Amino acid sequence: MDFRRCKFLDYTSHPITALAFSHASVTSDKYAPKTLRLAVGRANGDIEIWNPRSSWVHEITLKGGRNRSIEGLGWTQSGADLRLFSIGGSTVVTEWDLQTGLPLDHCDCNAGIVWSIAPSPDGTKIAAGCDDGSVVIVDVEGGRGVMEHRRILQRQKSRVLSIAWRGNTQVVGGCADGRIRVWTAVAAGEVGGLNGATSEGAVGRIIGTMRVDKAQGEETLVWSVVVLGNGKTIVSGDSTGSVKFWDAAHFSLLQSFKVHEADVLCLASNEAADSVFSAGVDRKIVRYSVVDNKLRRWANMSSRLLHAQDIRALVSYESKNSNYLISGGVERSIVINSVDNFIDGVFRKIPVSPPRHHVHSVGDRQLVALWGDNQVKIWALEKFHGSSEAIPEGKNKRAVASLALNNDENITHAALSADAKYLAVATNAETKLFLLLPSKQGSGFKVKKIASPALADRGCSILCFDPSSQHLVLVSSENEIFIYSIGHQDKLRELSYNGDSTGGKGELKQALPYLDNINNLAFSDDGKYFAVSTISGYVVVYDWPNQSIRWSLPRIPSIPSVLKFCPDNDSLIVVTTQMKVLQFSVAAQALSDWSRRNSGILPAEFNNLVDKCSGIYIEEKAPDRAWMWGASWLANFDMSADIPVFRIPKRKRNGLSVE
């Protein structure tokens, strides 16, 4: 088998602009909840949801759009429901529907661009720092999809660049004029705060102001503020590179550090309120720790250089057996470190490669398609002739088609048909079907849109063609499966689906409804079978000609990351996020003989891989060999032979000795 390295696929990830954990840190004697998730906002408007379990698993991406950026994220919890909010260069606070991946509601603050947001510790309010100097309090106590204006706090003249809560009653804001201001946000009787009840007349007023050092010739920008867990100390980071510790009760300066060489863009603290981390433009993460509790004295303890470019977001989470310090920025990688073992602990960079494939290939036609944001590019590869001579760079491929969607939504998925005649492109708002016509010169394709009213209003998250190239399968944002027959009546037919046959919705799925969403589709080469998997671990196999369910597999305990039918058109390979390789026989409706003997004894080198499987390839000439790959590895399994097991022979006792 011949391999090609396609360096011309110019996929570019986007900088990380915001990070937020779904839950606040807990004491060291409590375990992290099963619903703990990390939201990662990127500069193109996408929001990724990651599960820290199983060495960090990407679960879903909420797609953004053109000229949209996620500048702030926040989670709240209403009963069992987790709610995610974001801001991004506009006047609104957006709540997201975690099941469909679409915006659920918008709340216009009517105070200019929203620069910063912070949910209150009790999860009932959101504070939004705005361009006109206002802080808007939004009430989110009503449940999913409910956001109401609570009040607008006293306005001042400068942008509120950063914001944090002190208890449930006070809001601390870092402003563009070099000042840190403290507002009272809640009246007496509404909620108990750190400083006791607040009179109705004082609500919304600025009760304290602190000023940082002024840069020469310009105002200092307070990019970040954080209130420590005990509520006694406020920490600020500004454009001079200074990190300052303030007395929250008397609004006075306790200590100042000038460790960074440029702007401090983000801060984080630990649960015990005795460690603070700062990061920014100079790429360093610096740790400060308490050295005298009585005098409240801090010291610069250590620093690490883990990023190659600016760090724009920093967040921490602690619980029993969970200890994370997460950072991200212009480098695009998520960097995972430890709060407790910051200086000596092992850190990990999650690869920049996309969590879901952005590449589709048609091997028989030597075509490769790449999509990203709102653009699709298709290349044709020169056929490999088996020569030992290297093909000069630029001579082994040519661009044959390129198209850019004229809407603002980012592409969710794209697919080429097996005969390379059709290209389907989907966003959350619509699906478009294109006909690829060979150009007169034969050097490329002319892309012609096929008018289809049935697809025009049907957004989807995943799509694929069947092997005959006559049917397009779509998974809608509402998790419904539709079939579109090309060249026939312009109509969508729904395919019955019962992924979770129990019909129940436990606490985990109540909090994270997207766990029932479909994440993989796969056809057998002969078009006899069609398989579907969900994030929660359900796999359903259809009899494709009859479009009826053939077999609902037992639930798999971890997320299926890849589905692939073998060339025999009966065996289905499932690789999970826990690096388990399972092979099922559809005809027998059971695990294959190979899987029963070998799935539990896979090599440790494979089981210990932290980058998840991205795809499987099986060559027709070698149907028993399955090639699997991830962001940083390539593996091969021979499914015609058992994995060798080396056993240590038992020692035999021979009277006085052991042989």
Side-chain angles (χ1 to χ4, degrees):
M1 184 170 63
D2 302 315
F3 286 93
R4 271 201 198 172
R5 185 181 181 188
C6 300
K7 295 189 290 184
F8 56 85
L9 296 176
D10 53 349
Y11 170 78
T12 303
S13 183
H14 293 272
I16 295 171
T17 51
L19 296 168
F21 273 109
S22 58
H23 295 73
S25 297
V26 295
T27 54
S28 58
D29 60 337
K30 295 182 179 179
Y31 287 99
K34 292 183 179 179
T35 55
L36 178 67
R37 296 296 186 272
L38 173 70
V40 179
R42 294 193 179 268
N44 67 334
D46 288 354
I47 302 175
E48 300 167 3
I49 307 297
W50 291 78
N51 184 351
R53 296 174 183 269
S54 299
S55 299
W56 292 90
V57 177
H58 171 265
E59 292 184 334
I60 191 173
T61 296
L62 314 177
K63 286 292 184 177
R66 185 183 302 170
N67 299 325
R68 303 177 198 171
S69 176
I70 302 299
E71 299 298 334
L73 291 167
W75 295 82
T76 66
Q77 188 164 7
S78 301
D81 297 341
L82 280 175
R83 304 170 65 187
L84 177 62
F85 302 87
S86 72
I87 58 170
S90 67
T91 63
V92 302
V93 176
T94 300
E95 180 179 359
W96 291 86
D97 187 326
L98 294 177
Q99 182 171 12
T100 65
L102 302 173
L104 182 62
D105 194 17
H106 301 283
C107 180
D108 197 328
C109 293
N110 296 309
I113 293 173
V114 180
W115 282 85
S116 53
I117 61 167
S120 61
D122 61 6
T124 62
K125 300 174 288 296
I126 289 178
C130 301
D131 192 70
D132 70 350
S134 301
V135 173
V136 178
I137 305 299
V138 180
D139 193 323
V140 295
E141 198 171 3
R144 278 182 179 159
V146 178
M147 291 189 287
E148 300 176 348
H149 275 275
R150 183 75 167 264
R151 59 173 55 92
I152 298 179
L153 307 186
Q154 181 180 345
R155 182 187 170 199
Q156 40 81 41
K157 295 181 180 180
S158 297
R159 304 187 304 273
V160 183
L161 302 176
S162 53
I163 202 162
W165 284 82
R166 181 175 179 246
N168 293 307
T169 59
Q170 294 181 0
V171 172
V172 180
C175 303
D177 61 354
R179 291 176 172 83
I180 303 162
R181 295 177 171 87
V182 182
W183 290 264
T184 55
V186 179
E190 294 183 8
V191 67
L194 288 170
N195 290 343
T198 304
S199 64
E200 185 68 38
V203 173
R205 300 280 185 88
I206 296 174
I207 60 172
T209 301
M210 297 157 277
R211 181 163 185 167
V212 301
D213 301 331
K214 187 174 182 180
Q216 186 175 3
E218 58 184 14
E219 293 288 354
T220 302
L221 307 176
V222 183
W223 288 118
S224 53
V225 292
V226 66
V227 179
L228 302 191
N230 56 19
K232 297 179 180 179
T233 306
I234 298 170
V235 187
S236 67
D238 57 53
S239 57
T240 67
S242 298
V243 175
K244 297 182 181 295
F245 293 78
W246 307 85
D247 187 315
H250 302 96
F251 312 122
S252 58
L253 181 65
L254 295 174
Q255 213 165 346
S256 179
F257 295 90
K258 185 68 168 65
V259 179
H260 293 276
E261 299 173 4
D263 301 45
V264 177
L265 301 179
C266 45
L267 296 167
S269 64
N270 68 343
E271 169 65 17
D274 58 7
S275 290
V276 172
F277 301 88
S278 64
V281 176
D282 66 355
R283 306 172 293 153
K284 290 190 301 184
I285 302 177
V286 180
R287 178 177 182 172
Y288 313 86
S289 297
V290 172
V291 292
D292 190 324
N293 278 317
K294 187 175 181 180
L295 298 176
R296 297 166 67 183
R297 302 297 294 174
W298 295 74
N300 169 19
M301 303 300 292
S302 56
S303 65
R304 294 191 77 171
L305 187 63
L306 305 179
H307 291 258
Q309 292 175 290
D310 305 5
I311 303 173
R312 296 193 56 182
L314 190 66
V315 67
S316 66
Y317 180 83
E318 293 176 281
S319 66
K320 189 174 183 179
N321 295 339
S322 298
N323 193 277
Y324 306 121
L325 179 67
I326 313 297
S327 56
V330 178
E331 190 182 3
R332 302 174 176 87
S333 296
I334 302 171
V335 179
I336 304 167
N337 203 344
S338 170
V339 173
D340 291 341
N341 300 318
F342 170 71
I343 191 63
D344 298 321
V346 177
F347 73 95
R348 177 190 170 196
K349 284 189 178 183
I350 295 179
V352 178
S353 58
R356 176 187 284 178
H357 258 331
H358 281 220
V359 176
H360 189 104
S361 62
V362 181
D364 294 342
R365 303 284 177 160
Q366 299 284 306
L367 294 177
V368 179
L370 171 75
W371 70 88
D373 294 343
N374 64 340
Q375 195 172 43
V376 181
K377 296 179 180 179
I378 304 175
W379 287 269
L381 303 179
E382 296 296 332
K383 291 188 177 181
F384 190 85
H385 299 292
S387 172
S388 59
E389 297 182 4
I391 301 175
E393 185 68 26
K395 300 291 185 180
N396 58 348
K397 47 79 179 175
R398 68 181 190 277
V400 293
S402 177
L403 66 92
L405 301 186
N406 58 5
N407 57 14
D408 292 335
E409 301 293 326
N410 285 348
I411 293 173
T412 55
H413 207 255
L416 285 167
S417 62
D419 59 7
K421 288 184 178 180
Y422 301 104
L423 169 68
V425 183
T427 69
N428 280 326
E430 61 180 338
T431 301
K432 295 183 177 182
L433 185 62
F434 300 92
L435 181 64
L436 301 179
L437 300 171
S439 63
K440 294 181 180 179
Q441 295 79 12
S443 59
F445 288 109
K446 180 181 178 182
V447 182
K448 180 181 179 181
K449 183 180 177 182
I450 299 175
S452 173
L455 296 176
D457 297 326
R458 178 60 63 183
C460 72
S461 56
I462 311 176
L463 49 78
C464 71
F465 290 92
D466 74 338
S468 70
S469 301
Q470 296 301 309
H471 303 283
L472 176 65
V473 181
L474 308 91
V475 179
S476 71
S477 301
E478 291 75 23
N479 211 39
E480 301 165 316
I481 303 175
F482 292 98
I483 302 171
Y484 179 79
S485 298
I486 302 172
H488 295 78
Q489 187 178 5
D490 186 52
K491 184 179 179 181
L492 290 173
R493 291 178 290 114
E494 186 172 355
L495 185 66
S496 63
Y497 167 73
N498 62 340
D500 184 355
S501 57
T502 63
K505 198 166 189 178
E507 183 179 345
L508 187 62
K509 292 182 181 178
Q510 178 71 24
L512 301 167
Y514 64 79
L515 293 179
D516 278 329
N517 285 10
I518 294 169
N519 67 337
N520 286 297
L521 304 176
F523 275 99
S524 60
D525 291 340
D526 62 357
K528 184 178 179 181
Y529 296 124
F530 169 60
V532 173
S533 71
T534 69
I535 297 174
S536 55
Y538 290 95
V539 179
V540 179
V541 179
Y542 289 84
D543 185 329
W544 179 245
N546 298 322
Q547 295 179 6
S548 59
I549 295 176
R550 175 65 181 266
W551 182 31
S552 293
L553 280 66
R555 181 180 176 274
I556 298 171
S558 57
I559 301 173
S561 55
V562 181
L563 303 181
K564 176 69 175 179
F565 280 97
C566 296
D568 63 6
N569 296 308
D570 174 65
S571 300
L572 174 66
I573 299 176
V574 181
V575 183
T576 73
T577 54
Q578 291 182 350
M579 303 308 292
K580 300 294 183 184
V581 179
L582 305 172
Q583 186 184 46
F584 297 92
S585 171
V586 178
Q589 297 192 5
L591 279 172
S592 69
D593 293 337
W594 182 91
S595 191
R596 282 197 296 268
R597 293 192 303 267
N598 297 281
S599 290
I601 56 170
L602 298 180
E605 295 85 355
F606 184 81
N607 282 331
N608 295 333
L609 291 169
V610 292
D611 297 329
K612 310 308 175 187
C613 183
S614 299
I616 304 174
Y617 173 72
I618 303 175
E619 191 179 17
E620 291 185 5
K621 296 178 182 178
D624 294 323
R625 286 192 169 272
W627 292 89
M628 305 177 189
W629 69 89
S632 58
W633 57 268
L634 177 68
N636 176 259
F637 284 89
D638 185 351
M639 294 190 168
S640 64
D642 291 338
I643 296 173
V645 178
F646 300 97
R647 301 184 184 277
I648 300 175
K650 288 186 177 180
R651 297 182 296 176
K652 298 179 181 179
R653 292 188 175 275
N654 182 17
L656 301 175
S657 64
V658 177
E659 295 181 358

